[in-house]
Each structure stands twice: as structure tokens, then as C-alpha cells.
Amino acid sequence: MAEYTERFVTSRVASGNLDGSQFCFVRQLGNADVISVADSGSYVLGVLQNKPQNNDHAAVVFLGSTKIKLANSLGAGIPIMSAVSGFAVRASSGQVVLGYLMTGATSGAYGELNMNYSHTGSL
């Protein structure tokens, strides 16, 4: 997988133990803390880059290239939305598109996502 360094990262505080959510989508609470994604197809803050415990620093990519954990096997160029687990799945009609896969992978493996939150829209 190609490694790209151009990306935008923000720092937040983990609300709960997120050590199992590295390279998964996370959402932001009203107090700016981040937690796991609660529902499929929703807006997210970005993709978690580290494995924070409760109240630890959480690094989140919100624009640019990042690894992402896939819920099922997908190929390059697929529009992506978030599943309940925070894993990436193929966006379906009317759902929020968070970016596009640059490289595909098998279920449970990591693909490379071009997180394009500035152009988020539905199919």
C-alpha cells in the first residue's frame, strides 16, 4: 500500500476506551470528546489513528489519506460510509459518502481511504 503523508489531523479526548477502534471512524460528542460510531451511515469526525484509553489524546484524520478497517471485501474507487462498528462499508444510495478507497482489501483488513470530508454528500 502506498503511504501518503498529506492529511489533516485533529486532537480530541477519548470518551471511553477506544484502543480497539484504531483506523475506524469515530464521532464527536457535544463537548468535543470522541467516541465510537453509534449508527450506520452517519456523519463522523474522522478516522482514529491511535489507541487511546478513556480521557487520553485521540488523533483523528478528518481530511486526506489514512488506513481504514473494512467490514467486507472492497476494491479501489468504492465510495465509503461508516458502519455501526466504525468500519468502512460501501456507501449506498442516499447515504453519507465520507471518501473513496484508494486501495481495496479483504474483510477485516485495512484499505487506504482518501477521507474527503469537505465534499461529503450522498450518492
Side-chain angles (χ1 to χ4, degrees):
M1 177 178 353
E3 187 67 32
Y4 297 93
T5 57
E6 298 219 340
R7 57 184 164 196
F8 293 83
V9 180
T10 188
S11 178
R12 296 288 188 263
V13 174
S15 180
N17 182 358
L18 298 178
D19 68 350
S21 297
Q22 185 180 30
F23 303 121
C24 292
F25 290 112
V26 291
R27 65 187 179 100
Q28 182 172 306
L29 297 171
N31 64 358
D33 290 358
V34 293
I35 61 172
S36 298
V37 172
D39 52 351
S40 181
S42 65
Y43 285 97
V44 301
L45 176 62
V47 178
L48 186 66
Q49 300 298 295
N50 59 344
K51 298 179 178 184
Q53 301 290 319
N54 189 41
N55 291 321
D56 284 349
H57 156 80
V60 180
V61 167
F62 64 92
L63 179 64
S65 180
T66 180
K67 287 182 184 179
I68 187 73
K69 194 163 190 178
L70 303 181
N72 45 32
S73 297
L74 296 171
I78 301 295
I80 295 299
M81 69 181 212
S82 174
V84 174
S85 59
F87 291 8
V89 294
R90 177 190 291 267
S92 54
S93 181
Q95 295 298 316
V96 176
V97 175
L98 301 170
Y100 292 85
L101 282 181
M102 295 170 68
T103 62
T106 59
S107 178
Y110 299 100
E112 187 171 2
L113 175 71
N114 181 14
M115 181 82 182
N116 195 354
Y117 201 72
S118 65
H119 291 94
T120 298
S122 60
L123 289 176

